[in-house]
Amino acid sequence: MQNPQPKSNELKVSRRTAGLYARKLAGKGFVAIAIDASFQGESGGEPRYKEDPIARVEDIRGAVDHLVNLPYVDENRIGVLGICAGGGYAVSAAMTERRIKAVGVSAPVNGGREMRAGGRESTVATLETIAKQRTAEARGAEPMIVAWIPDEYRDSPDIDLREAYQYYRTPRGQHPNWQNKMRFVSLDAVMSFDAFYLSEMLLTQPLQIIAGSQQGAFGSDKDAHELRNRAGSPQKDLLIMDGASHFDMYDNPKYVDAAVEKFIQFYSDYL
């Protein structure tokens, strides 16, 4: 989202990844807004700690609604930048939110694909457990709240799980607006979600994808390649940063600075 003659930079940021990218883009003259998802952080919505893909997509539409009412924003030059699962939500939103003119994603994850990674048997078993828990809660049981990043991730041999703990559960990325809590029954909506569904037909905006080369459980390298292959965008580019892990793309200056420079060029070219 770039303002050719900015009166000021509006920047609502967290101190974490979205805020980091937003600050760097704002420093180059872009108007950037970073948002907490519905049901989380400073955003409203009940019940708390719910993960709802449809609401996530609607959050992006709401951000665009806000931007088109700012006098210093050109409504015909609005782009979106999504990171991790936010990359999947950004892609999903952009397919039908045609006010978005350019799409950037860093370490993109298709959240539904990730949740179904255990295969059919495991996924169906989880859905059966969710069904039972929903019935229990409908009859008055306390909501089941589970950890996004459990203790066992700390010493995991998988690089994504181990670095997830290091980022979210240590001072490296901890923030009081983020609670390590997720409403278990909301997983049913995520299980059936495909962030890239219809991207062959509807994702026609210019697309810049950036991911690290190190593959872990979150699968952003795999999803980056899939998105590149599936997207209908006539202008699309995939940059793989050699040696970078998924979480290097969150806050490692070596990779984040290079990614931001690529995004600045991308948005300057297409917005």
Side-chain angles (χ1 to χ4, degrees):
M1 300 157 282
Q2 193 171 28
N3 173 20
Q5 294 181 328
K7 298 178 183 177
S8 65
N9 287 322
E10 168 151 317
L11 189 60
K12 175 177 172 55
V13 301
S14 71
R15 297 176 184 175
R16 298 168 74 182
T17 300
L20 177 61
Y21 277 75
R23 283 194 297 273
K24 290 178 178 294
L25 288 168
K28 295 296 184 178
F30 289 82
V31 177
I33 178 170
I35 58 175
D36 286 340
S38 294
F39 316 109
Q40 302 174 31
E42 294 183 7
S43 290
E46 296 289 342
R48 302 305 288 172
Y49 315 123
K50 181 180 179 180
E51 183 70 12
D52 185 340
I54 302 304
R56 286 277 195 152
V57 169
E58 191 61 28
D59 288 340
I60 296 170
R61 297 185 194 280
V64 177
D65 289 342
H66 177 68
L67 288 167
V68 298
N69 280 291
L70 297 178
Y72 48 85
V73 169
D74 184 340
E75 65 184 69
N76 296 308
R77 300 175 68 189
I78 294 176
V80 67
L81 172 59
I83 304 157
C84 190
Y89 293 133
V91 165
S92 183
M95 283 189 261
T96 54
E97 178 49 88
R98 306 310 296 189
R99 295 175 296 178
I100 294 173
K101 305 303 183 182
V103 181
V105 293
S106 179
V109 172
N110 183 342
R113 189 275 312 154
E114 181 190 7
M115 289 294 180
R116 298 186 298 269
R120 178 178 180 179
E121 184 176 343
S122 174
T123 302
V124 171
T126 300
L127 289 169
E128 293 286 357
T129 302
I130 290 171
K132 292 176 182 177
Q133 181 61 28
R134 286 187 70 98
T135 295
E137 292 181 19
R139 292 171 175 166
E142 288 294 315
M144 179 185 290
I145 306 297
V146 298
W148 272 114
I149 309 297
D151 293 343
E152 55 264 30
Y153 280 16
R154 181 179 59 186
D155 300 314
S156 173
D158 180 87
I159 188 171
D160 284 359
L161 302 185
R162 185 173 66 254
E163 290 191 354
Y165 187 95
Q166 293 167 2
Y167 183 80
Y168 288 104
R169 300 282 303 273
T170 75
R172 173 182 171 186
Q174 281 179 330
H175 190 277
N177 281 356
W178 182 82
Q179 300 293 311
N180 188 28
K181 298 178 180 179
M182 189 266 294
R183 191 177 177 94
F184 176 67
V185 298
S186 69
L187 273 178
D188 55 1
V190 185
M191 290 284 190
S192 61
F193 180 67
D194 179 1
F196 304 158
Y197 177 63
L198 294 180
S199 58
E200 299 87 347
M201 176 185 291
L202 299 179
L203 186 60
T204 60
Q205 299 97 319
L207 173 66
Q208 178 65 61
I209 310 164
I210 302 179
S213 64
Q214 291 199 57
Q215 182 80 313
F218 290 177
S220 55
D221 177 81
K222 176 181 178 181
D223 283 347
H225 282 89
E226 180 180 350
L227 178 59
R228 167 64 177 80
N229 293 334
R230 289 179 61 177
S233 310
Q235 301 91 19
K236 56 185 177 181
D237 179 70
L238 169 60
L239 172 62
I240 298 296
M241 294 198 167
D242 188 44
S245 68
H246 181 88
F247 284 93
D248 279 331
M249 302 307 303
Y250 278 45
D251 65 352
N252 185 324
K254 174 181 177 180
Y255 300 108
V256 172
D257 288 350
V260 169
E261 286 302 313
K262 184 70 172 178
F263 284 128
I264 288 169
Q265 186 59 59
F266 169 71
Y267 292 123
S268 297
D269 287 345
Y270 292 108
L271 291 180

